[in-house]
Amino acid sequence: MVVSKVKYEQLRQQRMEENKKKLEQLHLPLLSQALQKAALSPKTSPMKKVKPRTIRTELVPVRRSGRFTNKPAPQYKEVVFYERVQLPRSTVHPKRDLSNRVYASDEARAWAIEKAEKLESTLESGYPTLVKPMLQSHVTGGFWLGLPSHFSKRHLPKRDDTVTLVDEQGDKWRTIYLARKTGLSGGWKKFSVDHDLVDGDALVFQLIQPTVFKVHIIRENGFTEENSHEAICDS
């Protein structure tokens, strides 16, 4: 038994030596070492730069809905944006007590308009004029005074500007004229409050300069029953 074991060990050792020589002949040990090194420090290969494919280009008509195919292309117009005009801040006026609003009667309103038109007829014809009866929206709440569009487009600035109101005593109030809305905004409230304007009053505006109105005020409270009878007799 001992002899056979020794013999077996000799044969196994001999085969191992033979196998080792064969591996060395094939350079397998060196290849194994190279693979181990590569695994420990991998290196990425640079990516190739791919040139984009050149696609043929050509001009083609823009697709349009079938409803518009045979219709002419849209036409565009120039839109003007106006710079906003602002007045310097002034003293804040206390709010009016709207519970004491004055509501003019139809007779008083008509009388004030008639008086204003008579006054208008006596003014110099060289200056454009207009008569503006006062409503609640002009003298309470919103304080916005819209002017006739035909008058504004013909005589007033084409863009937002400052318009000065001069009363019968020569005192001046600056207001903001909005060209697109053809009316007076900022500053009109101060003029209205300072002159205690109420519903039914009638104002005559006389444009004495491109941006200056002379303002004449006809009070609705000047109407009386006697005035009503006089108006009937005159008619």
Side-chain angles (χ1 to χ4, degrees):
M1 287 293 291
V2 175
V3 176
S4 63
K5 284 185 179 180
V6 172
K7 223 171 180 183
Y8 170 77
E9 286 296 329
Q10 289 176 349
L11 291 172
R12 189 173 74 82
Q13 190 67 28
Q14 184 180 354
R15 287 178 181 175
M16 289 177 62
E17 292 295 332
E18 291 175 353
N19 290 335
K20 185 177 181 181
K21 288 180 180 180
K22 290 180 179 179
L23 291 173
E24 290 176 352
Q25 291 175 356
L26 295 173
H27 304 289
L28 292 180
L30 296 176
L31 181 60
S32 176
Q33 291 176 7
L35 290 174
Q36 289 178 358
K37 289 181 180 179
L40 293 175
S41 58
K43 294 182 180 180
T44 57
S45 59
M47 295 180 62
K48 290 184 178 181
K49 294 183 178 180
V50 181
K51 293 183 179 180
R53 293 180 59 191
T54 303
I55 302 175
R56 182 172 60 88
T57 59
E58 63 180 9
L59 294 176
V60 296
V62 180
R63 293 185 60 186
R64 301 180 67 190
S65 171
R67 294 178 298 169
F68 303 102
T69 303
N70 298 323
K71 293 185 178 180
Q75 296 181 353
Y76 299 90
K77 67 177 182 179
E78 182 180 356
V79 178
V80 180
F81 293 89
Y82 298 105
E83 182 181 358
R84 185 177 180 183
V85 179
Q86 291 183 332
L87 294 177
R89 291 183 176 272
S90 57
T91 306
V92 178
H93 291 270
K95 292 185 177 180
R96 284 187 173 183
D97 184 4
L98 299 183
S99 62
N100 295 325
R101 280 183 176 181
V102 175
Y103 292 89
S105 64
D106 293 339
E107 293 81 3
R109 190 185 305 277
W111 176 85
I113 293 173
E114 183 180 357
K115 293 285 289 185
E117 290 175 346
K118 286 183 178 180
L119 173 61
E120 181 186 26
S121 65
T122 65
L123 299 176
E124 295 182 44
S125 59
Y127 300 104
T129 59
L130 66 94
V131 173
K132 186 69 179 178
M134 294 294 98
L135 304 175
Q136 290 292 347
S137 59
H138 301 149
V139 296
T140 59
F143 289 98
W144 161 258
L145 184 69
L147 302 176
S149 59
H150 64 276
F151 182 95
S152 301
K153 292 178 180 179
R154 184 173 182 181
H155 301 292
L156 296 179
K158 304 301 180 184
R159 57 182 300 170
D160 296 355
D161 206 340
T162 301
V163 171
T164 302
L165 305 181
V166 182
D167 66 9
E168 293 162 309
Q169 284 71 44
D171 296 326
K172 299 178 180 179
W173 282 257
R174 297 176 66 197
T175 65
I176 294 176
Y177 170 70
L178 302 181
R180 294 181 65 185
K181 296 184 177 180
T182 63
L184 302 181
S185 179
W188 165 251
K189 176 180 179 180
K190 180 172 173 56
F191 181 89
S192 175
V193 172
D194 289 351
H195 291 83
D196 294 319
L197 298 181
V198 297
D199 178 47
D201 289 346
L203 275 57
V204 180
F205 290 85
Q206 183 184 25
L207 191 64
I208 58 177
Q209 292 181 22
T211 58
V212 179
F213 273 118
K214 177 79 173 182
V215 184
H216 306 268
I217 302 173
I218 304 298
R219 304 287 182 179
E220 63 84 29
N221 59 12
F223 172 78
T224 62
E225 290 296 330
E226 293 181 0
N227 293 334
S228 176
H229 291 308
E230 290 177 2
I232 293 174
C233 293
D234 292 340
S235 60

